[in-house]
Amino acid sequence: MTTAKAATTYTAKGQLDANGLLKQYSPLVRRLAHQMIAKLPANVELDDLIQVGMIGLNDALSRFDVGQGVQFETFATQRIRGAMLDELRGGDWMSRGDRRHQRSIESAVHKLEQRLKRAPHESEIAQEMGLTLTDYQELLGKVRGTQLIYLEDMSGGEDGDDYLDRHAGDDGANPLAMLQDQRMRQALVDAIQRLPEREQYVMSMYYEHDMNLKEIAAVLGVTESRVCQLHSQSIARLRSRLHQW
């Protein structure tokens, strides 16, 4: 027999009260999403995690078997977290070619910063990569949507597990991990302050003020595609500096 809690399993007509159970356990989904997002990059949206978690909860309702001797909340927690983790892993991947282009931009930025002791101009990055300025800007547009931190950056545990498996579901915070997170945030703040002024504006409007590309373009008096280029270039600069950290 498939059931959850006897008091709330069936309606008055003797049918499984799925809607009632979804409502009853939706706070669990929100709680798990908040626990997980606290340890994830800022580009991950809480609402997205909650939506995927609700799908996981619905899946748990359809698969739970009271005969297994496991409490429904325990079973549902596993299905909800599993759905969230699958979504995070699946959503992190760019195409192999785009990821290679992103790494090339980061490498060029890093070399120039070491050589020039300042933030390189777009034309200098393009020249370092052997591209015309137009081709370089087109490449920036191609890798749009790149993230400050990829899930693959967080892999490499000695036992083969990754960042998500090690941290995303922890209820208790590891003091060392908290210290590292604080240092990471400070390093990010310092890196943003070293960006060229226009790129600082883009990052501030996009992440702090939650403005979209069209709104940012209107403020700066440029096209949306240009804002996209500036955003991609800012991410490349920040990733280059955070890797040094």
Side-chain angles (χ1 to χ4, degrees), residues 44-93:
V44 180
E45 295 289 341
L46 176 64
D47 288 345
D48 292 342
L49 280 184
I50 292 174
Q51 183 176 4
V52 173
M54 290 302 294
I55 295 174
L57 174 58
N58 189 63
D59 183 58
L61 288 171
S62 66
R63 293 176 180 272
F64 182 68
D65 185 351
V66 69
Q68 295 177 343
V70 179
Q71 290 186 351
F72 177 72
E73 184 166 334
T74 300
F75 179 78
T77 297
Q78 294 173 344
R79 305 298 300 190
I80 294 167
R81 286 192 64 244
M84 292 178 179
L85 291 172
D86 287 345
E87 176 69 13
L88 288 166
R89 291 189 179 98
D92 183 62
W93 296 104

Side-chain angles (χ1 to χ4, degrees), residues 191-213 215-222 226-227 230-231 234 238:
I192 290 175
Q193 291 176 345
R194 293 169 58 192
L195 288 174
E197 187 175 40
R198 176 164 283 198
E199 292 178 31
Q200 287 189 43
Y201 290 152
V202 170
M203 298 298 281
S204 175
M205 286 185 280
Y206 191 84
Y207 291 103
E208 293 183 30
H209 301 288
D210 199 26
M211 295 170 65
N212 59 38
L213 297 182
E215 293 168 335
I216 297 173
V219 172
L220 296 180
V222 298
R226 181 56 181 154
V227 174
L230 291 171
H231 177 262
S234 300
L238 293 174

